[in-house]
Amino acid sequence: MESLFGDTYEPQDEKSRLYADVILPVPIPKMFTYKIPRNLAEDIGIGFRVMVQFGQKKVLTGIIGKVHQKPPKEYEAKPILDVLDTYAMVNPLQIKFWAWMAEYYCCHIGEAMNAALPSGLKLSSESKIQLNPAYDSETSMYPLDSREEVILQALASQEELSYEDCERLLGVKSIHGIIKSLVIKEAILVFEKVKDKYSPKVETRIRLTQEYATDKKALERLFQEIASKPKQEEVILKYLQEIPVYQKPELNLKGLDKKAFTEAGLSMSSLKTLMKNNVLEEYKLIISRFEEISESKEEIVLSEEQTTAIIQIKGYFEEKHVALLHGITGSGKTEIYIQLIKEALESGSQVLLLLPEIALTTHLVGRLKKVFGSKMGVYHSKFSDNERVEVWNGVISGKFPLVIGVRSSIFLPFDSLGLVIVDEEHEASFKQYDPAPRFQARDAAIMLAWLHQAKTLLGSATPSFESFYNARTKKYGYVPLDRRYGDAQLPAYHIADILKDKKKNLLKLEMTRLMREKIQEALNNQEQVLIFQNRRGYSPYLVCEDCGVSPECEHCDVTLTYHQFAEELRCHYCGFKEKVPKACHACGSVKLVAVGLGTERIEESLTLLFPEARIARMDLDTTRSKYGYQRLLEEFGAGNIDILVGTQMITKGLDFEKVTVVGILDADRILFFPDFRAGERAFQQITQVAGRAGRREKKGTVIVQTRQPDHHIYEKIVNGNYKKFYIEDMTERQKFFYPPFVKLIKISSRHKDKNVVEKAARHLHNLLNDIQVKKIMLGPEKGLIGKIKNQYIFETLVKLDKSGNAQAVFKHDLQLILEEMYANKEFRSVRVVVDVDPY
DNA sequence: AGCACGCCGACT
DNA sequence: GTCGGCGTGCTC
């Protein structure tokens, strides 16, 4: 496999290191060749961050993607200005991975780089000003005003000032005008200074000075001296109590956290005096942001089924790159993961476990932390930049051979992955749609593993149909795990007919009689209830009772969402907000009512229907804070909540025995979404939510409210018949040419002028249509949402033949066509977005 | 994406 | 006469 590791990876002699192709964060689809100055040649290589001049004015930081000796033909390469690292921040495999991503997902390698680097590693340059050495206030022909004088005076004592410094100095909001004026008057110069955004966490520690630490007699003398100073004595005693220097003198080296003194309520001034008298000293220690946890020796006990599954997985790994573990909820996938991770780590490989965002906050992380301790790094979107950089460095240094993380953790600097696990593989959140690269992390992870010659294990209770298809066509290994732990039973499903109840006047506050009865029953038995509402397109909005008009966003083609709590209308696409209007904009009527079942409304309805129950809501609003989610879960686990209403989130990792009833308020919203995956999604979501009901002894109850109780999907859900539904859905997909039978590429055009986009989209569509590959094209059509942020959207959907080189040819020609479009002045302002494998 | 260069209108 | 509008082309 030597070619995969790149021809430039091996150290080369200096003569061959003349030029570097640098990846820059600019939207130009190529690398830029710079000259490597002789004096830098020694300490430069692939993956080093460098500073380069780009264009006339800009200094950018980029990453070296390639080192070579071919001088560019058409221009003289500029020199690299500086190297920022003493070791490569990025390894050659990562650059290969970015390049693959750029090609596959039709984006620029710079965009891939941008997505990969935690912003703490992206150096930002900050504009600073300094005195112009050529300036002489005596002879200058331009008079300065008072504010300009202040700045010049400050520069007399300080070499440089940032813009913010100047703003603070003058107490004005925007300094640009003044700076510009000073530049024109030739009094100052503006320059760019690169600053590293990552700052290590430092702890101030206190220890005895050399003299007292090594000499017991000195210490005894000290005690006599301070006998009359009880405050100082306390400080010393505290130190000796925490750090028994007498017994273990070497402990003094690390000393004690300064906070320990403050927390013990000791006198800070005494501490200072002791330091002044050279008894104690202070020093700074760089510490990790992550707690040190040692791994447990606890043996994982595997059931017979799990052992068999592991043997099967390993068997498949002999010949295939990917295996799919199809294990229903509660079938014990976690233990299998743990065992496989252990083995991979023992063989010296790195392991990546990918999880969807919401699953990361749950007990699984704690569970793994217990087993793998501080060998495990966690990469989460709620982590700060500094924390992310620490995980990044931890992967390089070998501190974290195991990482569990979200989508973006596929970009961490692994150099020897042995195993990649994608749990909840079917989750749509693995796909990133904005900004580019619009990648599917599950698919990219498989590619990543392949680059490392590692294996990928996909796990799900309800696999994506793509993965299941790959399993059935033997591309992936397939390992079913279908017995519930402790033989817990499948829940009992009840399909509740919304329309029937409505006719009979049994529908109260959107709850069918069955739903209400089952909830009441659970409450009577002191059991817990989960109510699920799909978020997608199901937010409450206002409607005018007189003319039927709903307030819409000024910038987007959507109705505004009603947020009762803040008394606001909001646009979920552009963030536009306005106070709830008093009257209808269209007819002036004041009869504006809220419709639609947002989680807030449901919570309210439930309060009315079950006034005695304790009800809580779990959605984006209530869990925005870092630990908001966890807090709600704990409350629920402790039994302080009877009914929990939530979105998607509640389907993940909630594992509470007292939940016996799960209600799905409107299954139709998922099922009749205009998307070829709607059926698959409905099946997955309903099954996943249902999996939260009844574990162990008690059989759970699931109530699914729908207007179409006869839809064929329900029969399969009720019987847990994944495969039957899969087969039916596949026939449809094959008939209408949808994945996995074709490759989808969505091309959308956006522009503020509707006529311009429409014309551009037509033109583009025609050009694409002329590409000589086997394909079907749909469109161009107005987007599902016709306008977002004042940009009109038109979309073309391309269904490409999967066999042969249709994909490669199409993507190649697409690139040329986009360039051609850009060269056309009529269309150059139209933004074209390419989404490969759209969701 | 920025940013410079360049060629046309409304101002001191 | 100039300042500045933004069309267009380039960035190693």
Side-chain angles (χ1 to χ4, degrees):
Chain A
M1 280 319 302
E2 92 301 327
S3 69
L4 271 180
F5 291 85
D7 39 15
T8 42
Y9 184 50
E10 292 305 312
Q12 302 164 346
D13 65 84
E14 209 182 302
K15 263 180 280 167
S16 65
R17 295 143 72 87
L18 290 172
Y19 294 93
D21 289 352
V22 179
I23 308 168
L24 293 174
V26 289
I28 304 160
K30 54 180 167 183
M31 296 202 238
F32 292 85
T33 308
Y34 285 86
K35 223 184 312 197
I36 300 176
R38 269 270 166 76
N39 61 325
L40 291 180
E42 292 281 323
D43 20 50
I44 235 173
I46 290 188
F48 282 71
R49 295 179 299 167
V50 290
M51 279 174 64
V52 292
Q53 173 95 37
F54 187 71
Q56 294 304 297
K57 278 206 130 163
K58 271 179 296 188
V59 173
L60 295 178
T61 55
I63 283 184
I64 297 186
K66 196 175 176 182
V67 181
H68 59 90
Q69 48 206 311
K70 294 182 285 288
K73 289 194 188 72
E74 281 118 30
Y75 52 86
E76 173 75 20
K78 286 183 186 170
I80 286 172
L81 301 177
D82 212 349
V83 201
L84 296 161
D85 300 317
T86 47
Y87 59 93
M89 292 309 275
V90 172
N91 66 49
L93 235 54
Q94 284 176 280
I95 290 172
K96 281 235 147 75
F97 184 51
W98 299 353
W100 166 79
M101 187 169 271
E103 193 180 315
Y104 186 86
Y105 290 106
C106 299
C107 70
H108 310 143
I109 194 162
E111 289 173 318
M113 173 178 80
N114 243 341
L117 295 178
S119 52
L121 285 182
K122 291 177 212 160
L123 293 178
S124 69
S125 68
E126 186 189 27
S127 296
K128 296 227 177 194
I129 60 168
Q130 64 177 74
L131 216 50
N132 184 347
Y135 178 73
D136 180 357
S137 61
E138 302 298 310
T139 60
S140 172
M141 49 213 276
Y142 311 102
L144 300 180
D145 71 24
S146 60
R147 292 192 296 186
E148 290 168 353
E149 286 287 0
V150 173
I151 295 203
L152 278 208
Q153 263 158 38
L155 280 173
S157 57
Q158 252 174 303
E159 206 164 305
E160 57 185 55
L161 289 173
S162 72
Y163 280 38
E164 290 87 70
D165 292 336
C166 299
E167 283 164 12
R168 237 178 297 116
L169 221 53
L170 295 176
V172 295
K173 283 193 296 291
S174 177
I175 199 80
H176 294 279
I178 297 163
I179 289 188
K180 206 173 163 191
S181 158
L182 280 166
V183 171
I184 292 166
K185 292 172 183 172
E186 293 173 348
I188 60 165
L189 297 174
V190 175
F191 67 102
E192 297 295 309
K193 185 156 187 167
V194 176
K195 58 164 194 225
D196 219 326
K197 280 194 274 186
Y198 169 70
S199 54
K201 189 170 175 182
V202 245
E203 201 171 86
T204 309
R205 299 191 69 96
I206 303 291
R207 65 184 169 200
L208 285 171
T209 52
Q210 186 73 16
E211 185 191 348
Y212 292 93
T214 46
D215 184 357
K216 281 184 192 168
K217 292 226 173 71
L219 213 51
E220 278 159 24
R221 251 182 285 123
L222 174 71
F223 271 111
Q224 283 163 16
E225 278 167 37
I226 60 171
S228 56
K229 295 160 182 146
K231 289 260 169 83
Q232 291 189 27
E233 197 177 12
E234 268 178 49
V235 170
I236 298 289
L237 283 174
K238 167 78 183 169
Y239 184 77
L240 290 176
Q241 182 199 332
E242 296 282 332
I243 314 292
V245 181
Y246 278 125
Q247 288 83 31
K248 291 184 178 161
E250 72 276 7
L251 283 179
N252 187 57
L253 209 63
K254 269 197 109 176
L256 183 62
D257 187 1
K258 194 174 180 180
K259 280 197 218 85
F261 294 98
T262 11
E263 276 159 17
L266 294 168
S267 151
M268 273 297 110
S269 58
S270 306
L271 185 66
K272 277 206 186 102
T273 315
L274 284 165
M275 285 197 285
K276 211 168 64 202
N277 295 341
N278 269 325
V279 178
L280 294 177
E281 62 184 7
E282 187 181 280
Y283 79 106
K284 308 273 182 195
L285 180 71
I286 294 179
I287 57 161
S288 165
R289 285 188 165 77
F290 304 106
E291 263 179 83
E292 291 291 326
I293 300 170
S294 54
E295 52 209 276
S296 76
K297 290 277 170 289
E298 168 209 355
E299 277 297 308
I300 302 294
V301 185
L302 298 167
S303 72
E304 200 177 310
E305 271 222 300
Q306 290 168 327
T307 314
T308 319
I310 290 174
I311 293 169
Q312 279 181 294
I313 291 167
K314 287 201 241 169
Y316 281 124
F317 282 166
E318 296 285 313
E319 44 178 306
K320 296 178 200 290
H321 293 288
V322 185
L324 172 62
L325 178 61
H326 186 172
I328 60 166
T329 317
S331 60
K333 290 193 293 285
T334 313
E335 288 75 23
I336 295 179
Y337 294 163
I338 291 174
Q339 183 60 32
L340 289 169
I341 293 170
K342 271 191 168 174
E343 289 177 22
L345 292 178
E346 273 160 24
S347 75
S349 304
Q350 295 168 319
V351 178
L352 168 63
L353 172 57
L354 276 186
L355 288 171
E357 172 96 39
I358 28 178
L360 247 183
T361 12
T362 62
H363 69 284
L364 176 64
V365 179
R367 179 81 194 280
L368 290 166
K369 196 94 217 178
K370 267 199 203 124
V371 180
F372 298 105
S374 44
K375 266 191 213 158
M376 179 178 107
V378 180
Y379 204 65
H380 194 272
S381 69
K382 280 186 179 160
F383 281 178
S384 71
D385 276 338
N386 282 330
E387 286 169 316
R388 287 182 204 210
V389 174
E390 261 174 47
V391 177
W392 186 283
N393 287 328
V395 172
I396 294 181
S397 72
K399 182 172 188 248
F400 297 134
L402 166 64
V403 172
I404 88 172
V406 289
R407 199 168 64 204
S408 52
S409 52
I410 56 171
F411 293 116
L412 285 165
F414 301 106
D415 57 7
S416 59
L417 277 173
L419 175 67
V420 177
I421 301 174
V422 186
D423 192 33
E424 311 268 11
E425 159 279 329
H426 61 279
E427 272 290 318
S429 63
F430 281 126
K431 170 77 181 177
Q432 164 156 324
Y433 19 68
D434 219 31
R438 298 176 172 76
F439 63 99
Q440 194 348 321
R442 177 235 300 148
D443 300 344
I446 292 172
M447 185 61 197
L448 178 71
W450 189 83
L451 283 174
H452 285 258
Q453 288 303 291
K455 302 298 176 186
T456 309
L457 178 65
L458 306 178
S460 175
T462 50
S464 66
F465 283 4
E466 276 98 335
S467 296
F468 196 63
Y469 174 84
N470 285 328
R472 284 175 57 96
T473 54
K474 311 281 182 215
K475 193 174 161 195
Y476 298 170
Y478 178 69
V479 182
L481 193 68
D482 41 24
R483 193 170 329 138
R484 269 189 141 184
Y485 224 37
D487 282 332
Q489 310 164 54
L490 267 182
Y493 284 90
H494 300 274
I495 307 296
D497 188 339
I498 297 179
L499 293 178
K500 207 164 94 193
D501 270 31
K502 199 167 195 169
K503 260 183 231 144
K504 293 194 199 155
N505 234 347
L506 289 170
L507 194 71
K508 288 189 187 156
L509 298 165
E510 314 289 335
M511 307 273 169
T512 53
R513 186 175 68 179
L514 191 63
M515 181 76 84
R516 286 180 281 119
E517 282 174 3
K518 291 291 180 190
I519 294 175
Q520 191 59 58
E521 223 173 87
L523 292 177
N524 294 345
N525 295 336
Q526 318 278 306
E527 292 162 351
Q528 289 175 308
V529 178
L530 284 180
I531 301 290
F532 173 75
Q533 175 63 301
N534 182 42
R535 221 175 94 80
R536 198 158 185 173
Y538 217 152
S539 328
Y541 55 95
L542 288 185
V543 66
C544 170
E545 282 199 315
D546 284 332
C547 69
V549 168
S550 294
E552 288 184 5
C553 178
E554 294 169 24
H555 317 286
C556 311
D557 220 358
V558 291
T559 47
L560 290 166
T561 305
Y562 174 56
H563 284 249
Q564 187 180 41
F565 180 71
E567 274 300 305
E568 268 176 357
L569 297 180
R570 287 187 206 159
C571 172
H572 283 187
Y573 288 86
C574 70
F576 172 81
K577 279 188 226 174
E578 67 174 20
K579 282 275 152 221
V580 172
K582 298 232 163 24
C584 172
H585 291 306
C587 70
S589 160
V590 289
K591 287 191 198 158
L592 288 171
V593 291
V595 294
L597 276 184
T599 42
E600 257 179 80
R601 280 285 304 279
I602 296 164
E603 190 186 5
E604 197 184 289
S605 304
L606 287 166
T607 317
L608 292 171
L609 290 169
F610 308 100
E612 77 287 1
R614 293 160 299 174
I615 301 165
R617 175 163 61 95
M618 175 181 272
D619 56 21
L620 272 181
D621 288 335
T622 56
T623 57
R624 214 173 291 278
S625 70
K626 198 166 175 177
Y627 298 109
Y629 183 82
Q630 222 139 13
R631 224 176 300 129
L632 260 176
L633 280 189
E634 277 161 22
E635 286 283 300
F636 193 65
N640 298 333
I641 296 169
D642 299 313
I643 308 178
L644 184 63
V645 185
T647 53
Q648 214 57 348
M649 287 181 189
I650 65 167
T651 63
K652 293 288 164 279
L654 281 178
D655 200 355
F656 298 115
E657 283 175 41
K658 276 166 68 192
V659 176
T660 53
V661 173
V662 164
I664 296 163
L665 285 180
D666 190 346
D668 303 343
R669 280 284 162 162
I670 327 171
L671 194 50
F672 298 107
F673 198 81
D675 178 292
F676 72 94
R677 267 187 258 264
E680 179 188 333
R681 288 237 175 88
F683 193 98
Q684 286 164 348
Q685 284 192 14
I686 294 172
T687 311
Q688 294 267 345
V689 189
R692 304 296 132 207
R695 330 224 46 190
R696 310 282 154 87
E697 302 83 23
K698 176 124 186 179
K699 189 169 176 151
T701 303
V702 180
I703 304 115
V704 181
Q705 293 196 156
T706 171
R707 287 171 196 79
Q708 314 227 354
D710 299 327
H711 193 284
H712 66 97
I713 193 173
Y714 294 121
E715 178 209 326
K716 282 96 192 176
I717 290 176
V718 168
N719 299 317
N721 206 334
Y722 172 89
K723 199 157 125 193
K724 194 164 174 205
F725 181 64
Y726 164 86
I727 290 168
E728 283 183 16
D729 201 60
M730 278 299 128
T731 356
E732 296 280 297
R733 290 201 196 179
Q734 188 154 31
K735 201 157 104 197
F736 297 108
F737 302 102
Y738 277 105
F741 301 100
V742 295
K743 174 117 291 205
L744 282 189
I745 299 181
K746 190 170 84 183
I747 294 143
S748 41
S749 310
R750 306 172 181 210
H751 194 268
K752 60 180 192 297
D753 185 326
K754 194 176 173 185
N755 296 322
V756 173
V757 235
E758 196 165 354
K759 199 172 171 195
R762 285 252 154 68
H763 182 65
L764 178 61
H765 188 95
N766 292 337
L767 291 173
L768 295 174
N769 209 14
D770 290 342
I771 299 177
Q772 290 300 309
V773 294
K774 206 169 152 197
K775 63 178 181 329
I776 297 166
M777 307 232 320
L778 302 180
E781 241 178 299
K782 201 170 137 221
L784 195 60
I785 293 149
K787 185 176 78 168
I788 294 176
K789 295 182 191 170
N790 286 325
Q791 302 265 310
Y792 288 88
I793 302 170
F794 275 80
E795 295 172 345
T796 283
L797 193 64
V798 186
K799 299 171 173 185
L800 283 174
D801 183 31
K802 272 185 94 176
S803 57
N805 62 351
Q807 230 192 111
V809 172
F810 186 85
K811 283 179 184 168
H812 173 259
D813 288 9
L814 170 64
Q815 213 62 56
L816 299 178
I817 289 169
L818 291 182
E819 276 165 36
E820 193 182 321
M821 288 281 291
Y822 190 71
N824 182 333
K825 52 184 173 296
E826 196 183 353
F827 303 135
R828 72 161 7 176
S829 55
V830 176
R831 301 182 50 74
V832 181
V833 169
V834 180
D835 192 354
V836 179
D837 304 333
Y839 260 65

